[in-house]
Amino acid sequence: MDDGSSCPTNSAGLLPLSAGSPTAEGLEEKLRRVREENRRLAGTLGAILADRPDLRALMRAPASAVACARAPSGSASNAAREEAAGVTVEPRPKVRTVCARAEPADTDANLSVKDGYQWRKYGQKVTRDNPHPRSYFRCAFAPSCPVRKKVQRDAEDTSKLVATYEGEHNHARSPEREFVCNESIAIGHRPCSVSINPSGRTIRLEDMTNHGSGSRLDLETIRREVVTPEFQKLLVEKMVNSLKNDADFMHALTNAVAERILEIIPARLS
DNA sequence: CGGCTTTGACCCGCGC
DNA sequence: GCGCGGGTCAAAGCCG
């Protein structure tokens, strides 16, 4: 979203470190830039919502989904006030709300939005503004991966699931689990489609997942191809290239490295 | 037997 | 200070 042209960020989208103590002029200048950035982002969001009536409806829904997505501790009104005043809120874990169609077999107790990651349920709660219970999930790689998600049926449209993600995964999707790539849950994620050609023949992930519906490659052939060192080397290269081109991943990585550096520097100086 | 889910209890922030 | 509601914990039960 950030093209880096109007905001003085570095290539990773981070604000530059201040060289000296902040002056009133400097702070005003920074505030002015932040306001400009807010206006620009609001314009971009408006353009996106113009093409997506489903997202527009989600943004309008004040009850459970959006409020909890924007303010995990129930401070939606504070966020709105700060936004109205043109003040940015302090950085908090990246929060994203997505919608998905509920599977017919899903009961309130086993709600799940299949997104390619493994999740461990750690709680369920009935909230005031929705008769359907909200389920709380942690990434199966916790505590090393801090991501959490909340899943709840839409109060008005019970066939719709609202999932709220908090944080960023610091690992790849689990390859051996089923990954149903639903259009509505692919927001912010690169579609998982790779073409690999280790031995003169192209194998696509579609071949592996559609083997029951007329694929020319049988599973045993694919399995033989996949265990070859050439294939695995190529797969690693493809994954690295894919991650290098993923702006979200690179942003999260740069932030993590920057945080680590900031932790180390004071320790070295003292 | 180990991993996962369920669910009541507990904690904490917020509004009054 | 108190009550309410959302979020988390942890013991018990379930399942492969």
Side-chain angles (χ1 to χ4, degrees):
Chain A
M1 199 180 272
D2 186 1
D3 60 5
S5 59
S6 63
C7 187
T9 56
N10 57 24
S11 60
L14 298 169
L15 288 169
L17 292 171
S18 172
S21 59
T23 63
E25 290 77 17
L27 288 174
E28 280 175 10
E29 172 64 14
K30 201 177 280 185
L31 182 60
R32 192 183 60 77
R33 284 187 195 145
V34 167
R35 281 182 175 151
E36 276 176 17
E37 180 70 2
N38 276 346
R39 267 196 296 275
R40 205 174 58 79
L41 288 173
T44 309
L45 181 61
I48 292 171
L49 292 178
D51 293 337
R52 293 293 301 268
D54 52 333
L55 288 181
R56 225 168 34 234
L58 187 63
M59 291 293 287
R60 275 199 304 269
S64 55
V66 178
C68 69
R70 279 211 251 153
S73 57
S75 57
S77 55
N78 286 344
R81 270 198 298 274
E82 285 164 348
E83 196 178 343
V87 178
T88 54
V89 294
E90 63 181 27
R92 51 180 69 149
K94 191 171 179 179
V95 177
R96 191 175 68 229
T97 302
V98 301
C99 288
R101 206 39 61 181
E103 300 286 333
D106 281 344
T107 64
D108 281 337
N110 70 355
L111 285 180
S112 64
V113 174
K114 296 179 180 65
D115 52 12
Y117 291 99
Q118 286 177 255
W119 299 95
R120 182 166 303 163
K121 188 174 180 178
Y122 67 90
Q124 180 172 310
K125 192 88 175 176
V126 177
T127 55
R128 208 168 62 105
D129 44 17
N130 192 330
H132 304 286
R134 177 183 297 166
S135 296
Y136 299 89
F137 297 88
R138 249 192 286 264
C139 180
F141 288 94
S144 66
C145 179
V147 184
R148 292 173 184 210
K149 90 171 169 183
K150 293 176 278 193
V151 181
Q152 188 172 33
R153 270 186 206 278
D154 190 298
E156 292 169 359
D157 182 359
T158 58
S159 66
K160 191 194 293 178
L161 295 181
V162 179
T164 305
Y165 293 83
E166 290 178 26
E168 292 285 324
H169 290 281
N170 53 16
H171 57 88
R173 287 188 171 94
S174 66
E176 71 273 20
R177 294 295 181 104
E178 178 190 20
F179 174 27
V180 179
C181 189
N182 181 322
E183 183 246 338
S184 59
I185 66 166
I187 299 167
H189 290 291
R190 200 164 292 276
C192 190
S193 174
V194 186
S195 295
I196 301 168
N197 189 354
S199 56
R201 179 163 41 173
T202 298
I203 298 177
R204 295 192 195 86
L205 290 184
E206 294 89 317
D207 290 328
M208 302 183 189
T209 54
N210 293 342
H211 57 272
S213 57
S215 169
R216 276 186 290 273
L217 290 170
D218 64 280
L219 266 183
E220 193 50 44
T221 311
I222 293 170
R223 212 171 279 141
R224 274 199 298 272
E225 295 274 4
V226 164
V227 297
T228 61
E230 294 82 8
F231 181 95
Q232 294 187 353
K233 181 164 174 272
L234 207 62
L235 183 59
V236 170
E237 285 172 7
K238 288 276 181 184
M239 289 167 75
V240 169
N241 281 334
S242 176
L243 287 174
K244 276 198 301 192
N245 292 330
D246 188 326
D248 281 349
F249 173 78
M250 290 307 289
H251 193 183
L253 179 63
T254 331
N255 278 338
V257 170
E259 278 177 18
R260 185 77 185 115
I261 290 172
L262 289 174
E263 280 174 13
I264 291 171
I265 289 174
R268 292 278 170 87
L269 290 177
S270 59

